[in-house]
């Protein structure tokens, strides 16, 4: 199992900013690193039959070859009888819930999603990587080019001063031109949030409208621990199903064979989608709070100053930070904020002090601040 998942290990390192500078935040990395790795691991897991066994095993009459009935039922789908679940709870529970067992064609609930689960998980994992790919195309490694290695903890003193001067010169020369760059990043963050909402809806449709309420129903069932309650995991991902196989007999008549199937794959699927449900909700909440945070920082220069101050105040950079914040647009502030996350506090304070000294002599009067 370790060998199966080892190719995904490099995606889960969220705090590699010092080794490799990046222009995105923690929540952004949760989408294209953690979520991508999680969904790809689930995709590999449901296809690893050497660990979970055959996805389906059907028991039928001996006249039918085992491999034929297994293949047919896996492709054509199986079904359950919802009313029989109430019978397993006992007649008393069935009467209390006013369940009247019925038998008929309209009662069957077909399940044919399980053969498409690996493909769905793979496509969903790719969808979580697309905003990151789009951001990489649009930013063209701007942060890495500006840092020039200043993100490393150990830097030669002389080289550090030279790189600081080059960084300050770049910031002064391009001051006021980073708003479009910052807006592209916020757009990619919005795409992440939109993608989470879309995947919730797509998964709910894929699982016949039962996914949205899946997490709360499982939690409610586990909290009650009642024997007379229907397990939502078994209801949504049944382990024991039926399958009907038809073939022509020797006389040309159509013969019907009923098979009882064990879906061992659903032992994995129910845990996968329970984990995915909770993780999607976490991403939805974090993404919504992040967009609210972006809106607040866009409207509050004072908050922007406080956020930069938290990084450089220990090294006497408060006056310089105040001067820079008063003159910078939202795009310039976001670039400085991103650079501060990739540099040590002393180096960032030194850059801010030099920038504050040079900006008044280089700013023009027609620049528009956001």
């Amino acid at each position: 199992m370790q060998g199966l998942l080892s190719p995904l290990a490099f995606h889960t390192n969220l705090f590699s900013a010092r080794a490799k500078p990046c222009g995105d935040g923690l929540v952004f990395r949760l989408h294209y690193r953690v979520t991508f790795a999680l969904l790809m691991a689930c995709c590999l897991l449901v296809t690893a039959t050497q660990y979970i066994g055959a996805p389906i095993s059907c028991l039928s009459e001996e006249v039918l070859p085992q491999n034929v009935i297994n293949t047919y039922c896996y492709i054509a789908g199986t079904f359950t009888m919802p009313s029989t679940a109430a019978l397993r709870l006992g007649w008393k529970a069935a009467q209390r819930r006013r369940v009247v067992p019925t038998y008929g064609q309209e009662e069957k609930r077909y399940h044919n999603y399980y053969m498409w689960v690996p493909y769905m998980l793979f496509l969903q994992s790719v969808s979580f990587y697309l905003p990151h790919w789009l951001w990489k195309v649009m930013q063209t490694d701007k942060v890495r080019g500006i840092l020039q290695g200043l993100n490393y903890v150990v830097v030669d003193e002389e080289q550090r001063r030279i790189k600081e001067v080059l960084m300050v010169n770049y910031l002064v020369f391009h001051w006021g031109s980073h708003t479009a760059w910052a807006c592209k990043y916020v757009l990619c963050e919005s795409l992440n949030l939109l993608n989470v909402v879309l995947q919730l809806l797509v998964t709910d449709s894929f699982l016949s409208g039962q996914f949205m309420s899946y997490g709360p129903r499982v939690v409610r069932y586990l909290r009650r621990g009642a024997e007379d309650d229907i397990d939502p995991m078994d209801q949504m991902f049944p382990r024991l199903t039926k399958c009907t196989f038809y073939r022509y007999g020797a006389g040309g008549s159509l013969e019907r064979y009923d098979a009882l199937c064990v879906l061992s794959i659903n032992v994995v699927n129910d845990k996968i989608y329970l984990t995915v449900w909770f993780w999607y909700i976490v991403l939805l909440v974090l993404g919504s709070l992040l967009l609210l945070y972006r809106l607040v920082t866009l409207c509050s220069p004072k908050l922007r100053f406080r956020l930069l101050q938290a990084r450089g105040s220990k090294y006497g950079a408060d006056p310089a930070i105040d001067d820079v914040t008063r003159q910078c647009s939202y795009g310039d502030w976001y670039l400085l904020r991103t650079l501060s996350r990739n540099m040590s506090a002393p180096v960032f304070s030194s850059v801010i002090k030099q920038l504050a000294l040079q900006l008044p002599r280089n700013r023009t009067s027609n620049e528009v601040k956001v």
Side-chain angles (χ1 to χ4, degrees), residues 5 31 53 57 59 91 164 196 203 244 257 260 280 291 354 360:
L5 303 180
H31 286 262
S57 181
L59 178 64
W91 281 106
E164 285 179 2
V196 173
T203 308
T244 303
Y257 297 91
L260 194 63
Y280 281 176
L291 285 185
Q354 298 179 52

Side-chain angles (χ1 to χ4, degrees), residues 135-156:
W135 170 236
K136 287 182 65 177
V137 171
M138 291 191 297
Q139 74 155 340
T140 61
D141 287 334
K142 179 187 290 288
V143 174
R144 185 185 302 181
I146 297 174
L147 284 171
Q148 305 177 83
L150 285 176
N151 57 297
Y152 294 107
V153 177
V154 180
V155 181
D156 181 74

Side-chain angles (χ1 to χ4, degrees), residues 210-220 273-274 277-278:
Q210 302 181 71
F211 182 70
M212 286 296 190
S213 60
Y214 182 51
R217 285 190 291 121
V218 172
V219 172
R220 189 162 52 246
Y273 279 101
L274 182 62
W277 187 91
F278 281 106

